[in-house]
Amino acid sequence: MHSITKLPSFARFLIISIPFFTFSYQALAQNITLSGFVSDAASGEKLIGAIVAVPSLNIGTATNTYGFYSLTVPSAEAKQLEVNYVGYEPKVVTIDPVAGGKLNIELTATLQLKEVSLSSSKKTPIHERSQMSSAEIPIAQAKALPTFLGEVDILKVIQLLPGVQAGNEGSSNLIVRGGSPDQNLILLDGVPVYNAYHLFGFFSVFNADALSNMEVIKGGFPARYGGRLSSVIDIRMKEGNKQKIHAEGGIGLLASRLMIEGPIIKDKISFMVSGRRTYYDILARPIIKSQTDGNGKLILNFYDLNAKLNYKISDNDHVYISAYMGSDKFGFKDKSNGETFSSGIKWGNITTVARWNHLFNNKLFGNLTAYHSRYQFDLYSEYAGSNDNFKMNYISGIYDWAGKYDLDYIPNNRHYIKAGAGGTYHTYTPGAMQIKGNAIETTDSTDKLRSVETHVYIEDDFLVTGKLKVNVGLHANSFSIRSKNYFSLQPRLAARYILFERTSLKASYAKMNQYIHLLSNSGVGLPTDLWVPATDKIRPMQADQVALGIAHNTRQDIEISIEGFYKKMNNVLEYKNGASFALTGTKWENNVTQGKGEAYGGEFFVHKKSGNTNGMISYTLSWSNRLFPDLNEGKVFPYKYDRRHDFKIALVHKFSKSIEVSGEWIFGTGNAMSIPTAKYYSSVTPNNNGDWAYSYYYPSRNNYRMASYHRLDIGAKFTKVKAKSTREWVLGVYNLYNRKNPFFIYTEENNGATTFKQVSLLGIIPSISYNFKF
């Protein structure tokens, strides 16, 4: 048993400096405190968000992100402890009223998943939680929905939630409550992932077979999170089966995947390794060769590798080491007449993290984390001939080294306190172009930028009365770069008040700061989008968001929520007119401008979690605008992802243990874009025929709406369970009625007449895949 005096000094300060910790202490003689871990009985995997409660006393708690819980109960009354988790048999444990201390609990998975939830893995009803604007999505449940080309994409599942939309057709990019894609903090085992997309945004980098849990927060951010304005997506990898070797995978039209997990030393050391690779380039090779006289080669592929090691040192100490590596390649290579030409782009992420969990006592849990991450892209072009050669590379990237320490302190059932501190050393390479040839060698690069970011936070989930519960906290951070130091205090507050038996009123406020920007020329999520930091010339982004809502849980286990939100953003970044990442000879800081953003709207969400037919309905009505002094003559204009109406419905129906069907329909107002309303002859630049070129007049920025977006996806799953294995055939159709949704619009000149042409990217796409487990 350890005491608080053995904690690091900053941790002792965080704990003893909060006077309200002592408000709810009761005499120790009247209470017993139970603590431990809740895990899967078959695999040993920790269960995140499992509910541990004493129903007779109407008290309970939820396990944290490492499966740990702590619950204090009156010793004279405590009798039975009930543990619940979606997809597992409930378990009732008899408590010894004179004992207490450690109590690890194992749950057994049900033979058939009776509840399919798209938003929450907890049994705590929505109206009882202080947190609003959030959703927890078990990975197994996300797999129930239709897939695109047979690939389960957890970020596409998030797009079904209210207030969340895709950037473009088929994209996994996330636009949350009027924000931009870079305003989403995407964490894999606590490590930020900067580019979370494969194939230019069509798939996420997250292989669902390697994951165990995912939480999404759109507002009312707890103080433990910082660094982004619009959302937090916290994704956790599997720990590895501690009991036996287990494998699962699949073969689809686009890619194949395999995950293997098992014990190295049973009940002590376990591992998990997974891999995924696409083979589109292999399938397309005969087509490319036929169109290029056999000399052309398409380069288009991606891969993912996930690995994790879990070491139980003792009942009080666990060590986890995990890593992710992923890469994309897209290009073309041609060999003919003794000449070789190739061009393309390569990009990818690497993350590694080590964590040490330590249980100080039955009320205090600590987690020490150290990690490294790297994101880099390389745009290249090469030519080699008998008399000449040429090579060009444009490289950009961001590299992080970081460490942090987090504490969970549960003095009693009325308080759940989290506190921590950490720091990150960033190295940014905004862009470096290198050109080599027979007669030339030149390098044009921006300076590497290095910065130090630190943070400290404390929060308390506090049950004030039986009806009122609040989560109050403070996040403070600093950012130092060049000779500039930024400091920010960010208060956070979320509250719920029980209006009626199953209905509560909720409210939240959060102030957020963001010290990193994504410079983007398009909404496709291209890897050529540049990550750049706040500097002495470029200020960090800031946002204030408030939300108010009502949450209701019916007796039929249907969750209903209505929320309204308002978000004000400062110092958002855009390229100046005509600027792009490819401009050389000028610093990127001279090519950008900063302005303001505003987003507001309402969200409606209905979620049925149980029964053979289950699913969700969501609707969002929202506005999102931008204001830049250097753009649109300093006038307000709609953001390119401003979407007035966004409606989504997703359903899953299980006919039997073997047959399951699913479907989803999505409708959204078209994206905003700029189109010209007039043209005139330019007296500046003649074209190649000696005639004067056209110039176009744009009355305002994003003055036009593309056609509304809608599509229907369906899927069917046929499962056969054997004694030691399970196999599945999954059929799906993307865009069932072949809707020609707009991807972009361009102008075309023909005999002096100007016409606008719409480009549609994805029509009806059937798919088939085969999945297996053993």
Side-chain angles (χ1 to χ4, degrees):
M1 189 69 68
H2 294 260
S3 67
I4 293 178
T5 58
K6 293 186 179 182
L7 289 173
S9 58
F10 78 87
R12 296 200 307 269
F13 170 77
L14 288 172
I15 293 177
I16 65 176
S17 62
I18 305 301
F20 56 68
F21 282 12
T22 61
F23 286 1
S24 301
Y25 275 116
Q26 299 177 14
L28 293 177
Q30 297 177 358
N31 300 322
I32 59 171
T33 298
L34 302 171
S35 68
F37 297 88
V38 179
S39 59
D40 183 304
S43 67
E45 185 87 20
K46 301 296 189 300
L47 300 181
I48 302 172
I51 299 303
V52 182
V54 179
S56 61
L57 302 177
N58 197 29
I59 57 175
T61 188
T63 57
N64 68 6
T65 53
Y66 299 99
F68 172 76
Y69 78 92
S70 176
L71 187 66
T72 301
V73 297
S75 59
E77 302 179 31
K79 293 183 179 180
Q80 288 188 326
L81 192 72
E82 185 175 304
V83 186
N84 288 278
Y85 190 74
V86 167
Y88 288 77
E89 297 288 350
K91 189 169 187 176
V92 176
V93 180
T94 300
I95 303 171
D96 184 346
V98 297
K102 292 180 183 177
L103 180 60
N104 295 326
I105 301 167
E106 294 182 340
L107 298 183
T108 302
T110 56
L111 295 178
Q112 179 180 347
L113 185 63
K114 298 179 181 179
E115 298 178 85
V116 177
S117 167
L118 302 180
S119 69
S120 178
S121 64
K122 296 183 178 181
K123 287 286 186 178
T124 304
I126 186 175
H127 69 282
E128 291 186 3
R129 301 193 291 269
S130 59
Q131 178 68 53
M132 66 183 302
S133 308
S134 69
E136 290 194 19
I137 306 176
I139 303 302
Q141 298 168 356
K143 292 181 177 181
L145 290 169
T147 60
F148 177 51
L149 289 175
E151 287 298 303
V152 175
D153 191 336
I154 59 175
L155 294 191
K156 281 187 169 64
V157 175
I158 295 176
Q159 293 172 1
L160 298 174
L161 300 174
V164 184
Q165 67 185 67
N168 286 94
E169 165 75 83
S171 172
S172 293
N173 258 333
L174 300 176
I175 311 300
V176 181
R177 288 185 170 177
S180 53
D182 62 320
Q183 294 177 2
N184 304 309
L185 178 61
I186 302 177
L187 301 171
L188 180 62
D189 271 2
V191 182
V193 178
Y194 288 100
N195 189 314
Y197 309 102
H198 286 308
L199 292 181
F200 307 106
F202 283 97
F203 297 94
S204 76
V205 301
F206 303 111
N207 180 358
D209 291 343
L211 308 178
S212 65
N213 189 266
M214 176 170 61
E215 181 180 14
V216 183
I217 304 175
K218 302 176 293 180
F221 304 99
R224 60 188 177 274
Y225 295 112
R228 298 295 189 274
L229 303 189
S230 292
S231 76
V232 175
I233 301 167
D234 197 346
I235 301 168
R236 300 284 168 166
M237 282 198 281
K238 291 179 177 178
E239 296 180 355
N241 196 310
K242 291 189 179 71
Q243 303 299 321
K244 60 182 180 179
I245 295 292
H246 167 74
E248 64 180 285
I251 302 171
L253 296 178
L254 180 73
S256 290
R257 63 192 188 277
L258 177 66
M259 186 278 297
I260 301 175
E261 60 178 338
I264 297 175
I265 300 177
K266 194 173 181 180
D267 293 323
K268 192 172 187 67
I269 304 177
S270 63
F271 74 94
M272 185 280 297
V273 178
S274 76
R276 176 176 61 164
R277 192 201 190 274
T278 183
Y279 32 70
Y280 180 82
D281 52 341
I282 299 174
L283 298 176
R285 190 172 296 168
I287 302 173
I288 299 299
K289 286 188 174 182
S290 68
Q291 298 297 316
T292 58
D293 298 324
N295 299 315
K297 180 181 179 181
L298 175 69
I299 304 169
L300 178 60
N301 61 70
F302 70 78
Y303 74 86
D304 295 307
L305 291 174
N306 296 78
K308 193 166 187 176
L309 185 70
N310 174 11
Y311 178 26
K312 180 183 177 182
I313 300 174
S314 67
D315 289 342
N316 293 336
D317 296 277
H318 292 75
V319 171
Y320 304 88
I321 300 174
S322 58
Y324 166 79
M325 177 184 294
S327 178
D328 281 69
K329 294 181 181 179
F330 172 68
F332 186 80
K333 187 174 184 179
D334 184 79
K335 291 183 178 181
S336 59
N337 302 321
E339 298 177 326
T340 301
F341 174 78
S342 63
S343 66
I345 185 170
K346 298 179 288 186
W347 70 96
N349 299 277
I350 295 176
T351 68
T352 55
V353 57
R355 295 191 308 280
W356 171 38
N357 294 167
H358 179 66
L359 182 61
F360 290 93
N361 54 51
N362 54 16
K363 296 177 181 289
L364 185 61
F365 178 89
N367 182 64
L368 176 65
T369 303
Y371 70 81
H372 169 65
S373 71
R374 187 217 72 176
Y375 168 68
Q376 181 175 298
F377 83 79
D378 179 6
L379 182 68
Y380 68 92
S381 180
E382 299 180 18
Y383 169 79
S386 57
N387 299 317
D388 195 12
N389 64 78
F390 171 86
K391 183 176 182 180
M392 184 276 291
N393 289 85
Y394 187 91
I395 299 173
S396 180
I398 179 170
Y399 311 85
D400 289 348
W401 293 92
K404 58 181 180 177
Y405 197 83
D406 301 282
L407 293 169
D408 286 21
Y409 180 48
I410 308 99
N412 51 59
N413 298 328
R414 302 182 73 87
H415 295 275
Y416 196 126
I417 298 135
K418 294 177 182 287
T424 305
Y425 180 74
H426 302 283
T427 301
Y428 306 87
T429 305
M433 181 174 288
Q434 186 178 60
I435 300 175
K436 293 182 178 181
N438 283 351
I440 185 173
E441 181 171 344
T442 181
T443 299
D444 185 359
S445 64
T446 56
D447 296 332
K448 283 188 177 181
L449 295 171
R450 294 175 174 84
S451 66
V452 176
E453 184 175 357
T454 61
H455 74 269
V456 61
Y457 73 87
I458 189 162
E459 65 177 83
D460 185 14
D461 203 40
F462 176 27
L463 183 64
V464 182
T465 69
K467 291 188 174 183
L468 178 62
K469 189 176 187 180
V470 299
N471 186 295
V472 59
L474 182 66
H475 184 101
N477 61 22
S478 67
F479 187 83
S480 300
I481 188 167
R482 292 175 178 162
S483 59
K484 185 68 175 179
N485 295 305
Y486 293 100
F487 179 77
S488 174
L489 286 175
Q490 303 162 38
R492 315 288 175 79
L493 176 66
R496 65 97 168 123
Y497 184 80
I498 303 294
L499 295 175
F500 309 107
E501 181 183 358
R502 294 178 173 269
T503 305
S504 66
L505 179 68
K506 293 190 176 187
S508 68
Y509 166 77
K511 185 178 184 65
M512 306 291 285
N513 255 39
Q514 181 168 331
Y515 297 103
I516 188 169
H517 306 269
L518 184 65
L519 292 178
S520 176
N521 284 108
S522 72
V524 188
L526 295 177
T528 52
D529 296 346
L530 303 183
W531 288 100
V532 295
T535 67
D536 50 345
K537 296 180 180 179
I538 304 299
R539 295 187 61 80
M541 289 188 284
Q542 299 174 335
D544 293 271
Q545 182 178 173
V546 294
L548 182 67
I550 294 177
H552 178 71
N553 194 76
T554 71
R555 296 185 183 278
Q556 293 75 33
D557 199 24
I558 299 175
E559 293 184 347
I560 303 171
S561 65
I562 302 174
E563 292 188 13
F565 69 91
Y566 176 82
K567 180 163 61 178
K568 186 75 172 179
M569 295 168 281
N570 293 312
N571 303 322
V572 293
L573 203 67
E574 287 277 0
Y575 277 118
K576 293 179 180 178
N577 288 328
S580 75
F581 82 97
L583 289 178
T584 61
T586 61
K587 291 185 178 293
W588 65 268
E589 292 165 287
N590 298 327
N591 294 330
V592 298
T593 182
Q594 291 191 279
K596 298 180 179 181
E598 183 183 54
Y600 55 92
E603 300 169 358
F604 175 70
F605 189 44
V606 178
H607 180 202
K608 185 177 185 296
K609 298 194 297 182
S610 61
N612 289 327
T613 302
N614 42 74
M616 57 171 273
I617 300 173
S618 71
Y619 171 71
T620 306
L621 172 68
S622 63
W623 289 259
S624 181
N625 298 311
R626 296 291 189 269
L627 174 64
F628 291 85
D630 298 330
L631 301 178
N632 200 48
E633 299 180 346
K635 299 177 182 177
V636 174
F637 60 89
Y639 185 45
K640 59 185 174 183
Y641 298 124
D642 174 53
R643 180 172 290 181
R644 195 71 63 246
H645 304 283
D646 194 40
F647 176 82
K648 289 159 285 196
I649 181 170
L651 295 173
V652 178
H653 180 73
K654 186 177 287 292
F655 287 98
S656 65
K657 294 181 179 180
S658 302
I659 302 175
E660 181 180 274
V661 298
S662 60
E664 60 188 38
W665 187 71
I666 298 172
F667 173 87
T669 302
N671 286 345
M673 65 169 293
S674 302
I675 65 169
T677 56
K679 67 179 180 181
Y680 56 92
Y681 288 111
S682 170
S683 60
V684 177
T685 307
N687 63 25
N688 293 332
N689 297 325
D691 299 326
W692 297 108
Y694 292 113
S695 291
Y696 295 100
Y697 170 71
Y698 295 83
S700 62
R701 198 176 182 96
N702 293 339
N703 61 321
Y704 177 76
R705 289 278 180 181
M706 291 191 287
S708 296
Y709 180 96
H710 56 87
R711 76 169 198 271
L712 174 66
D713 306 334
I714 60 171
K717 184 183 297 184
F718 303 92
T719 304
K720 187 169 185 178
V721 179
K722 294 185 177 181
K724 295 184 178 181
S725 65
T726 301
R727 67 186 187 192
E728 295 176 344
W729 284 99
V730 182
L731 306 178
V733 181
Y734 179 90
N735 196 2
L736 179 65
Y737 50 80
N738 200 31
R739 163 71 175 178
K740 302 298 182 182
N741 286 302
F743 190 67
F744 66 88
I745 295 174
Y746 68 96
T747 59
E748 184 176 84
E749 296 291 336
N750 188 12
N751 296 325
T754 303
T755 57
F756 296 94
K757 297 293 184 70
Q758 173 181 299
V759 175
S760 298
L761 197 62
L762 301 175
I764 182 172
I765 303 177
S767 66
I768 182 172
S769 60
Y770 174 76
N771 300 326
F772 58 86
K773 298 179 182 179
F774 61 85

